[in-house]
Short mmCIF file of all heavy atoms in Angstrom, two decimals:
data_model
loop_
_atom_site.label_atom_id
_atom_site.label_comp_id
_atom_site.label_asym_id
_atom_site.label_seq_id
_atom_site.Cartn_x
_atom_site.Cartn_y
_atom_site.Cartn_z
N VAL C 1 119.46 -26.66 188.03
CA VAL C 1 119.63 -28.02 187.53
C VAL C 1 118.31 -28.78 187.71
O VAL C 1 117.66 -28.64 188.75
CB VAL C 1 120.77 -28.73 188.30
CG1 VAL C 1 120.90 -30.18 187.89
CG2 VAL C 1 122.07 -27.99 188.08
N PRO C 2 117.91 -29.60 186.73
CA PRO C 2 116.69 -30.39 186.89
C PRO C 2 116.74 -31.22 188.18
O PRO C 2 117.80 -31.72 188.58
CB PRO C 2 116.68 -31.29 185.66
CG PRO C 2 117.53 -30.60 184.66
CD PRO C 2 118.56 -29.82 185.44
N ALA C 3 115.58 -31.37 188.81
CA ALA C 3 115.49 -32.02 190.12
C ALA C 3 116.15 -33.40 190.15
O ALA C 3 116.84 -33.74 191.11
CB ALA C 3 114.03 -32.12 190.56
N GLN C 4 115.98 -34.19 189.10
CA GLN C 4 116.53 -35.54 189.10
C GLN C 4 118.06 -35.54 189.11
O GLN C 4 118.68 -36.51 189.55
CB GLN C 4 115.98 -36.37 187.93
CG GLN C 4 116.43 -35.92 186.55
CD GLN C 4 115.50 -34.91 185.89
OE1 GLN C 4 114.71 -34.25 186.56
NE2 GLN C 4 115.59 -34.81 184.57
N LEU C 5 118.68 -34.45 188.67
CA LEU C 5 120.13 -34.38 188.65
C LEU C 5 120.72 -33.68 189.88
O LEU C 5 121.92 -33.79 190.13
CB LEU C 5 120.61 -33.65 187.39
CG LEU C 5 120.29 -34.33 186.06
CD1 LEU C 5 120.79 -33.46 184.91
CD2 LEU C 5 120.91 -35.71 185.99
N GLN C 6 119.90 -32.96 190.62
CA GLN C 6 120.40 -32.20 191.76
C GLN C 6 121.08 -33.09 192.80
O GLN C 6 122.13 -32.73 193.32
CB GLN C 6 119.27 -31.40 192.42
CG GLN C 6 118.88 -30.19 191.63
CD GLN C 6 117.84 -29.34 192.33
OE1 GLN C 6 117.54 -29.53 193.49
NE2 GLN C 6 117.29 -28.38 191.60
N VAL C 7 120.49 -34.24 193.08
CA VAL C 7 121.07 -35.15 194.08
C VAL C 7 122.44 -35.64 193.60
O VAL C 7 123.41 -35.60 194.35
CB VAL C 7 120.13 -36.33 194.38
CG1 VAL C 7 120.81 -37.37 195.26
CG2 VAL C 7 118.85 -35.82 195.03
N ASP C 8 122.51 -36.07 192.34
CA ASP C 8 123.79 -36.56 191.80
C ASP C 8 124.84 -35.45 191.76
O ASP C 8 125.99 -35.67 192.12
CB ASP C 8 123.60 -37.13 190.39
CG ASP C 8 122.80 -38.41 190.39
OD1 ASP C 8 122.75 -39.10 191.44
OD2 ASP C 8 122.21 -38.74 189.34
N LEU C 9 124.43 -34.28 191.32
CA LEU C 9 125.37 -33.17 191.25
C LEU C 9 125.82 -32.76 192.66
O LEU C 9 127.00 -32.51 192.88
CB LEU C 9 124.74 -31.99 190.52
CG LEU C 9 125.67 -30.84 190.16
CD1 LEU C 9 126.86 -31.32 189.34
CD2 LEU C 9 124.92 -29.76 189.40
N GLY C 10 124.90 -32.74 193.59
CA GLY C 10 125.26 -32.43 194.98
C GLY C 10 126.26 -33.43 195.52
O GLY C 10 127.22 -33.06 196.22
N ARG C 11 126.08 -34.69 195.19
CA ARG C 11 127.01 -35.73 195.62
C ARG C 11 128.39 -35.52 195.00
O ARG C 11 129.42 -35.65 195.67
CB ARG C 11 126.46 -37.11 195.26
CG ARG C 11 127.19 -38.25 195.92
CD ARG C 11 126.56 -39.62 195.65
NE ARG C 11 125.13 -39.61 195.96
CZ ARG C 11 124.16 -39.96 195.09
NH1 ARG C 11 124.47 -40.35 193.88
NH2 ARG C 11 122.90 -39.91 195.44
N LEU C 12 128.41 -35.18 193.72
CA LEU C 12 129.68 -34.91 193.03
C LEU C 12 130.39 -33.70 193.65
O LEU C 12 131.60 -33.72 193.84
CB LEU C 12 129.46 -34.67 191.54
CG LEU C 12 129.16 -35.89 190.70
CD1 LEU C 12 128.79 -35.48 189.28
CD2 LEU C 12 130.34 -36.84 190.69
N PHE C 13 129.64 -32.66 193.95
CA PHE C 13 130.22 -31.49 194.59
C PHE C 13 130.83 -31.86 195.93
O PHE C 13 131.93 -31.43 196.28
CB PHE C 13 129.18 -30.39 194.77
CG PHE C 13 128.85 -29.61 193.52
CD1 PHE C 13 127.88 -28.63 193.56
CD2 PHE C 13 129.48 -29.86 192.31
CE1 PHE C 13 127.57 -27.89 192.41
CE2 PHE C 13 129.17 -29.14 191.17
CZ PHE C 13 128.20 -28.15 191.23
N ASP C 14 130.10 -32.67 196.71
CA ASP C 14 130.62 -33.10 198.01
C ASP C 14 131.89 -33.92 197.86
O ASP C 14 132.84 -33.75 198.62
CB ASP C 14 129.56 -33.92 198.77
CG ASP C 14 128.44 -33.05 199.30
OD1 ASP C 14 128.62 -31.82 199.40
OD2 ASP C 14 127.36 -33.62 199.60
N GLU C 15 131.92 -34.81 196.87
CA GLU C 15 133.12 -35.62 196.63
C GLU C 15 134.30 -34.73 196.23
O GLU C 15 135.42 -34.95 196.69
CB GLU C 15 132.86 -36.66 195.54
CG GLU C 15 131.99 -37.81 195.98
CD GLU C 15 131.71 -38.79 194.85
OE1 GLU C 15 132.53 -38.89 193.91
OE2 GLU C 15 130.66 -39.45 194.92
N TYR C 16 134.02 -33.77 195.38
CA TYR C 16 135.09 -32.87 194.95
C TYR C 16 135.62 -32.08 196.15
O TYR C 16 136.83 -31.97 196.35
CB TYR C 16 134.57 -31.92 193.87
CG TYR C 16 135.61 -30.96 193.36
CD1 TYR C 16 136.77 -31.42 192.73
CD2 TYR C 16 135.46 -29.58 193.52
CE1 TYR C 16 137.75 -30.54 192.27
CE2 TYR C 16 136.42 -28.70 193.05
CZ TYR C 16 137.55 -29.18 192.43
OH TYR C 16 138.51 -28.31 191.99
N ARG C 17 134.71 -31.54 196.94
CA ARG C 17 135.10 -30.78 198.14
C ARG C 17 135.94 -31.66 199.07
O ARG C 17 136.97 -31.23 199.59
CB ARG C 17 133.85 -30.27 198.86
CG ARG C 17 134.13 -29.31 199.98
CD ARG C 17 132.85 -28.80 200.65
NE ARG C 17 131.99 -28.04 199.74
CZ ARG C 17 130.84 -28.48 199.23
NH1 ARG C 17 130.36 -29.65 199.54
NH2 ARG C 17 130.14 -27.72 198.41
N GLN C 18 135.52 -32.90 199.27
CA GLN C 18 136.26 -33.81 200.15
C GLN C 18 137.64 -34.12 199.59
O GLN C 18 138.61 -34.22 200.35
CB GLN C 18 135.46 -35.11 200.37
CG GLN C 18 134.23 -34.94 201.24
CD GLN C 18 134.53 -34.26 202.56
OE1 GLN C 18 135.47 -34.62 203.26
NE2 GLN C 18 133.75 -33.25 202.89
N SER C 19 137.75 -34.27 198.27
CA SER C 19 139.07 -34.54 197.68
C SER C 19 140.00 -33.36 197.89
O SER C 19 141.20 -33.53 198.13
CB SER C 19 138.94 -34.89 196.20
OG SER C 19 138.64 -33.75 195.42
N LEU C 20 139.46 -32.15 197.81
CA LEU C 20 140.28 -30.97 198.05
C LEU C 20 140.68 -30.87 199.51
O LEU C 20 141.82 -30.53 199.84
CB LEU C 20 139.54 -29.70 197.61
CG LEU C 20 139.31 -29.58 196.10
CD1 LEU C 20 138.38 -28.40 195.80
CD2 LEU C 20 140.61 -29.44 195.34
N LEU C 21 139.76 -31.19 200.40
CA LEU C 21 140.07 -31.16 201.83
C LEU C 21 141.08 -32.24 202.21
O LEU C 21 141.89 -32.06 203.11
CB LEU C 21 138.78 -31.31 202.65
CG LEU C 21 137.86 -30.09 202.62
CD1 LEU C 21 136.51 -30.43 203.25
CD2 LEU C 21 138.51 -28.91 203.31
N TYR C 22 141.02 -33.37 201.51
CA TYR C 22 141.97 -34.45 201.76
C TYR C 22 143.41 -33.98 201.54
O TYR C 22 144.33 -34.39 202.24
CB TYR C 22 141.66 -35.66 200.87
CG TYR C 22 142.59 -36.82 201.06
CD1 TYR C 22 142.44 -37.67 202.15
CD2 TYR C 22 143.63 -37.06 200.17
CE1 TYR C 22 143.30 -38.74 202.36
CE2 TYR C 22 144.50 -38.12 200.36
CZ TYR C 22 144.32 -38.96 201.45
OH TYR C 22 145.18 -40.01 201.65
N ASN C 23 143.57 -33.10 200.56
CA ASN C 23 144.89 -32.55 200.23
C ASN C 23 145.06 -31.13 200.76
O ASN C 23 145.79 -30.33 200.18
CB ASN C 23 145.10 -32.58 198.72
CG ASN C 23 145.18 -33.98 198.18
OD1 ASN C 23 145.94 -34.79 198.70
ND2 ASN C 23 144.38 -34.27 197.17
N ALA C 24 144.41 -30.81 201.86
CA ALA C 24 144.42 -29.46 202.40
C ALA C 24 145.77 -29.04 202.97
O ALA C 24 145.92 -27.92 203.43
CB ALA C 24 143.33 -29.30 203.46
#
């Protein structure tokens, strides 16, 4: 992923992971 999008995508991945863990 282009460098400028890596931070945003990483944040989205973390949010998604957290939402799944919330409903673990």
Side-chain angles (χ1 to χ4, degrees):
V1 175
Q4 68 269 21
L5 296 178
Q6 285 185 11
V7 171
D8 291 337
L9 190 56
R11 193 174 308 124
L12 285 173
F13 283 178
D14 287 341
E15 286 177 26
Y16 180 62
R17 189 179 297 107
Q18 289 307 313
S19 73
L20 293 171
L21 289 170
Y22 180 78
N23 293 310

